[in-house]
Amino acid sequence: MQLDQIHISLFRQELFGYRDGQLVCRYPVSTALNGPGERNNSGCTPRGAHRVRARIGAGQPLGAVFIGRRPTGEVWSAELASQYPHRDWILTRILWLCGEQPGFNRGGDCDSQRRYIYIHGTADDQPMGVPLSHGCVRLRNTDMLELFELTPAGCRVLITDGDQPS
């Protein structure tokens, strides 16, 4: 069964996956430390209607490290993290988002795709339920692996400030 919509609540720091209006999965997430916002270089998580533009990383191991959407051949570990303490770890899988609302999260200085906004796995030592990312939506690696398998390219993604999808 594949999802047809994902809702990400910035308020709740949770991701909800739906199929035909029925809740299929639910995961804690970590969104932007800088809060919601759509502008380039803001470090904020963009709101509104999006779609999954690309699914990246199928077949890679749990904890696979990505830089520039390409696997490095590394697998995250505490030892690797200590070697690169300033890396923003993008791990396991990537769902690359594309905004659907021209002038709000698509085009110009607010384009989610050009901002490289992803749903992706993160390091095991990072807390969930707390906004700490640089704009992306982070999940635990095992949750990201499950979500990736359920999510087709083109799946609708709604990111809201509030508790429920609008």
Side-chain angles (χ1 to χ4, degrees), residues 59-129:
Q60 292 297 313
L62 190 70
V65 176
F66 292 83
I67 296 178
R69 295 160 310 284
R70 299 201 189 296
T72 65
E74 302 162 308
V75 173
W76 187 90
S77 67
E79 296 77 27
L80 185 63
S82 69
Q83 291 175 16
Y84 302 99
H86 300 293
R87 266 196 199 172
D88 180 20
W89 296 98
I90 298 172
L91 306 177
T92 302
R93 303 287 186 276
I94 298 169
L95 296 173
W96 189 1
L97 302 182
C98 174
E100 294 279 295
Q101 297 170 265
F104 183 68
N105 61 23
R106 184 179 181 120
D109 68 347
C110 61
D111 195 278
S112 295
Q113 181 179 328
R114 280 190 235 139
R115 289 181 59 205
Y116 303 104
I117 298 296
Y118 312 141
I119 301 170
H120 66 81
T122 195
D124 293 341
D125 61 356
Q126 296 299 299
M128 293 294 109

Side-chain angles (χ1 to χ4, degrees), residues 132-151:
L132 288 174
S133 84
H134 299 150
C136 289
V137 177
R138 297 175 176 174
L139 280 82
R140 296 240 172 273
N141 289 309
T142 53
D143 293 346
M144 186 65 225
L145 195 58
E146 286 179 18
L147 180 66
F148 187 85
E149 293 305 318
L150 292 170
T151 306

Side-chain angles (χ1 to χ4, degrees), residues 4-100:
D4 54 29
Q5 181 169 2
I6 292 171
H7 171 232
I8 298 163
S9 168
L10 302 179
F11 173 77
R12 292 180 63 146
Q13 291 293 292
E14 287 187 286
L15 180 151
F16 304 86
Y18 296 93
R19 174 71 186 176
D20 297 326
Q22 298 297 309
L23 183 65
V24 173
C25 58
R26 178 179 180 173
Y27 305 107
V29 299
S30 177
T31 61
L33 176 63
N34 290 347
E38 293 67 44
R39 296 290 167 235
N40 287 344
N41 303 314
S42 66
C44 296
T45 299
R47 295 162 292 187
H50 292 80
R51 291 219 183 250
V52 173
R53 176 199 179 276
R55 301 170 71 252
I56 300 168
Q60 292 297 313
L62 190 70
V65 176
F66 292 83
I67 296 178
R69 295 160 310 284
R70 299 201 189 296
T72 65
E74 302 162 308
V75 173
W76 187 90
S77 67
E79 296 77 27
L80 185 63
S82 69
Q83 291 175 16
Y84 302 99
H86 300 293
R87 266 196 199 172
D88 180 20
W89 296 98
I90 298 172
L91 306 177
T92 302
R93 303 287 186 276
I94 298 169
L95 296 173
W96 189 1
L97 302 182
C98 174
E100 294 279 295

